[in-house]
Amino acid sequence: DAGVIQSPRHEVTEMGQEVTLRCKPISGHNSLFWYRQTMMRGLELLIYFNNNVPIDDSGMPEDRFSAKMPNASFSTLKIQPSEPRDSAVYFCASSPGRGLNTEAFFGQGTRLTVV
Amino acid sequence: QQQVKQSPQSLIVQKGGISIINCAYENTAFDYFPWYQQFPGKGPALLIAIRPDVSEKKEGRFTISFNKSAKQFSLHIMDSQPGDSATYFCAAVIIQGAQKLVFGQGTRLTINP
């Protein structure tokens, strides 16, 4: 398996534009997580899905952020409109989500810069 | 109560020395405590993990010490090497719950040659 695949790896966009980040989890994993990493706040959990259903989105900063998981092999995180303070590295992770098998496998991340 | 507090924020250790990173938690429902290692430009990756029914777990040069009564756990890296230079995150999760990983703030470790 190629692991968790995120695209794009880097994104530079202007303030006010819509940004869509994509994630393909590891096949067979039941749980999917979106994290945001910044120097100031570390790794923040934005939202996570179990069996394609959003379980907890309390970490989503505001209504400008939305996430979907239309099927077991694809998820998107959308920011509309984007702002400079959204600049961060966004990670997607997936987990088998069964009992002790809780290891989260992270993708390479998408470095977002909003200018 | 969902927080995991990690210290120090950054740490510099000489090659061959012992690196120690500490974490504390409040929620006694947490029952699985992994440590993740992150190299620049990469996502975090699982390094070692422990359940609270044991006080210590060792894998090679990496050891987790766990103090359930104090609600604290720590990572020890023995004979630290320059290749260990990375950011380390402690985490906590409730296994039978929704399995939401809660991460500490991270420690940037630098091993000087």
Side-chain angles (χ1 to χ4, degrees), chain A residues 71-92:
Chain A
N71 56 62
S73 59
F74 185 66
S75 178
T76 59
L77 178 68
K78 185 178 294 186
I79 308 173
Q80 164 65 15
S82 57
E83 297 183 1
R85 58 191 170 122
D86 302 330
S87 298
V89 180
Y90 291 81
F91 286 103
C92 174

Side-chain angles (χ1 to χ4, degrees), chain A residues 33 35 43-45 48 56 104 106, chain B residues 1-6 23-27 30 32-36 73 89-94 99-106:
Chain A
F33 310 84
Y35 286 89
L43 268 170
E44 300 175 274
L45 178 64
Y48 76 98
D56 185 348
F106 283 76
Chain B
Q1 224 196 8
Q2 289 296 313
Q3 286 187 331
V4 177
K5 296 183 179 179
Q6 182 173 347
C23 286
Y25 64 97
E26 288 295 322
N27 189 348
F30 287 135
Y32 189 66
F33 301 87
W35 284 87
Y36 281 76
F73 57 110
F89 294 92
C90 62
V93 66
I94 302 170
Q99 300 192 347
K100 182 172 69 172
L101 271 171
V102 178
F103 282 93
Q105 284 288 87

Side-chain angles (χ1 to χ4, degrees), chain A residues 1-72:
Chain A
D1 200 314
V4 176
I5 300 173
Q6 291 186 246
S7 64
R9 290 293 311 276
H10 303 273
E11 177 80 31
V12 180
T13 190
E14 290 186 346
M15 182 174 64
Q17 296 298 305
E18 177 181 296
V19 175
T20 299
L21 311 182
R22 297 174 175 80
C23 175
K24 182 182 187 309
I26 294 173
S27 176
H29 282 191
N30 293 334
S31 298
L32 182 139
F33 310 84
W34 282 100
Y35 286 89
R36 178 172 66 177
Q37 185 176 32
T38 60
M39 288 294 292
M40 290 297 294
R41 302 169 74 98
L43 268 170
E44 300 175 274
L45 178 64
L46 301 178
I47 185 171
Y48 76 98
F49 296 84
N50 186 256
N51 293 323
N52 312 338
V53 176
I55 302 299
D56 185 348
D57 65 353
S58 59
M60 296 286 261
E62 47 199 274
D63 292 345
R64 297 184 298 107
F65 286 69
S66 63
K68 294 182 180 179
M69 192 166 185
N71 56 62

Side-chain angles (χ1 to χ4, degrees), chain B residues 48-107:
Chain B
I48 186 173
I50 195 169
R51 291 203 64 173
D53 52 353
V54 298
S55 60
E56 185 175 284
K57 183 173 182 180
K58 184 176 181 179
E59 290 184 3
R61 295 184 294 107
F62 299 89
T63 299
I64 302 177
S65 297
F66 191 88
N67 185 331
K68 188 173 182 178
S69 60
K71 293 185 285 186
Q72 296 175 346
F73 57 110
S74 60
L75 175 70
H76 296 234
I77 306 175
M78 312 299 288
D79 187 26
S80 300
Q81 299 296 311
D84 297 330
S85 297
T87 299
Y88 292 81
F89 294 92
C90 62
V93 66
I94 302 170
I95 292 176
Q96 294 305 324
Q99 300 192 347
K100 182 172 69 172
L101 271 171
V102 178
F103 282 93
Q105 284 288 87
T107 296

